[in-house]
């Protein structure tokens, strides 16, 4: 991995200039996350078909299945990870001011982190059959 | 380092608009893409994938709200279900399925192209056409079956 350094700080590997920054890693992360999201997306489509119009008890039974709850939590985490990278790419294209761009990327990452955490929290409560919220939070 | 002279080759007498005067005063040939560019469905697929990602983010907000309603118990879920079953709710639900199928198909197209496959003009056009158009009939089929089996009704 150690590339030899030439005059202006550019790094080379086998005399081929290698990325000065981290773009290649982000590109790969986006591709890998998308490849994981796609089959889960098919599963989400079949799940949406199963659960559309279902009553509370039926949905609770669905969540009681550990495989369903686990796959849904995985989907939430991977999906929000993917859109985090995807929104960064979109913002890099359309927001020219570096300060504004960094602030927006950081804000969206925070939002997606909170959404992923909230999803997993709700899913775990449903899977464990916890009492309806706000039970356990002062009520 | 000598620059090739931008004014050689008849630029000064050009009346076709193929030469432009740059802000620094240099007369240079107009970049050729404007003259030879034409619309192609691959462009629509590319732009629609971005739009799909933005719409899918909004859809994820709705799904998280649905999860929240479930976690807050049967009463909150009944309210959410009534909202989803209203005409506006069904319309949004239809849109979400279009977005979901668009995400799956366009994401598949993107992944195929990213691995260096399907990049001939013919195959990239076919992949793009599928990604652009197929989500709509798939979503219609999805909801027709849902209505047919009585899972949802107006």
């Amino acid at each position: 991995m150690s590339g030899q350094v030439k005059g202006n700080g550019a790094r080379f590997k086998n005399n081929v200039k290698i990325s000065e920054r981290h773009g290649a890693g982000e590109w790969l992360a986006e591709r890998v996350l998308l490849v994981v999201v796609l089959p889960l997306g098919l599963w989400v489509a079949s799940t949406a078909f199963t659960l559309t119009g279902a009553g509370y008890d039926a949905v609770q039974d669905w969540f009681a299945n550990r495989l369903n709850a686990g796959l849904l939590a995985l989907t939430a985490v991977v999906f929000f990870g993917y859109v985090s990278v995807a929104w960064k790419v979109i913002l890099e294209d359309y927001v020219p001011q570096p300060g504004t761009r960094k602030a927006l990327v950081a804000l969206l990452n925070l939002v997606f982190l909170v959404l992923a955490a909230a999803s997993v929290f709700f899913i775990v409560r449903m899977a464990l059959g916890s009492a309806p919220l706000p039970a356990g939070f002062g009520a | 380092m000598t620059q090739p002279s931008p004014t050689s080759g008849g630029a000064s007498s050009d009346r076709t608009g193929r030469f432009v005067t740059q802000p620094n005063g240099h007369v240079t040939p107009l970049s050729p893409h404007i003259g030879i560019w034409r619309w192609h469905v691959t462009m629509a697929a590319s732009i629609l994938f971005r739009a799909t990602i933005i719409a899918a983010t909004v859809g994820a907000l709705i799904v998280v709200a649905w999860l929240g309603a479930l976690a807050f118990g049967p009463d909150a879920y009944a309210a959410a279900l009534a909202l989803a079953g209203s005409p506006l709710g069904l319309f949004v639900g239809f849109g979400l399925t279009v977005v979901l199928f668009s995400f799956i198909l366009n994401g598949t197209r993107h992944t195929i192209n990213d691995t260096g496959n399907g990049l001939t003009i013919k195959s990239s056009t076919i992949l793009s056409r599928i990604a652009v158009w197929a989500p709509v009939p798939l979503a219609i089929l999805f909801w027709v079956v849902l209505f047919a089996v009585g899972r949802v009704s107006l």
Side-chain angles (χ1 to χ4, degrees):
Chain A
M1 283 301 288
S2 63
Q4 65 272 31
V5 178
K6 288 182 182 175
N8 55 4
R11 291 187 301 148
F12 292 81
K13 188 176 171 185
N14 299 331
N15 282 325
V16 175
K17 190 166 178 288
I18 60 175
S19 175
E20 293 175 22
R21 295 184 188 157
H22 44 80
E26 282 175 23
W27 183 87
L28 193 61
E30 200 182 358
R31 301 282 78 78
V32 169
L33 286 168
L34 182 58
V35 167
V36 179
V37 166
L38 288 175
L40 290 171
L42 279 177
W43 174 78
V44 166
S46 93
T47 298
F49 188 86
T50 311
L51 292 183
T52 298
Y56 189 79
D57 292 340
V59 180
Q60 207 165 33
D61 287 346
W62 186 87
F63 273 94
N65 184 330
R66 287 285 186 272
L67 181 66
N68 289 339
L71 278 177
L72 195 58
L74 177 70
T75 306
V77 171
V78 177
F79 177 81
F80 283 120
Y82 174 72
V83 291
S84 156
V85 192
W87 271 90
K88 183 169 185 288
V89 174
I90 294 174
L91 290 172
E92 281 166 352
D93 277 0
Y94 299 123
V95 183
Q97 305 88 344
T100 314
R101 185 171 64 230
K102 275 184 186 167
L104 282 174
V105 169
L107 177 69
L108 279 183
N109 279 342
L110 184 67
V111 168
F112 293 143
L113 185 67
V114 169
L115 285 173
S119 307
V120 172
F121 176 69
F122 293 145
I123 292 166
V124 167
R125 284 189 76 95
M126 287 302 291
L128 298 178
S130 308
L133 287 166
F137 290 85
Chain B
M1 188 174 165
T2 55
Q3 298 283 340
S5 170
T7 49
S8 68
S12 54
S13 61
D14 175 71
R15 290 183 173 184
T16 61
R18 287 175 300 191
F19 289 82
V20 289
T21 307
Q22 299 293 342
N24 62 6
H26 287 190
V27 178
T28 60
L30 183 65
S31 180
H33 77 279
I34 294 294
I36 63 171
W37 185 90
R38 69 181 168 86
W39 184 88
H40 198 75
V41 69
T42 47
M43 175 214 69
S46 179
I47 293 173
L48 272 178
F49 193 38
R50 286 204 165 175
T52 298
I53 288 169
I54 294 169
T57 309
V58 178
L61 284 176
I62 296 175
V63 173
V64 174
W66 175 78
L67 286 170
L70 278 165
F72 273 86
D75 293 342
Y77 181 71
L81 198 58
L83 196 62
S86 69
L88 178 66
L90 289 173
F91 181 71
V92 172
F94 176 76
L96 287 182
T97 47
V98 174
V99 169
L100 178 59
F101 288 124
S102 172
F103 190 93
I104 294 168
L105 292 173
N106 221 332
T108 307
R109 173 196 67 85
H110 207 299
T111 305
I112 291 171
N113 286 347
D114 281 334
T115 54
N117 298 302
L119 287 171
T120 64
I121 292 175
K122 194 174 179 186
S123 54
S124 65
T125 299
I126 291 171
L127 286 173
S128 296
R129 283 201 180 132
I130 293 171
V132 168
W133 294 111
V136 174
L138 281 176
I140 291 173
L141 182 69
F142 184 96
W143 285 91
V144 163
V145 176
L146 273 180
F147 273 96
V149 300
R151 199 76 64 72
V152 282
S153 57
L154 267 174

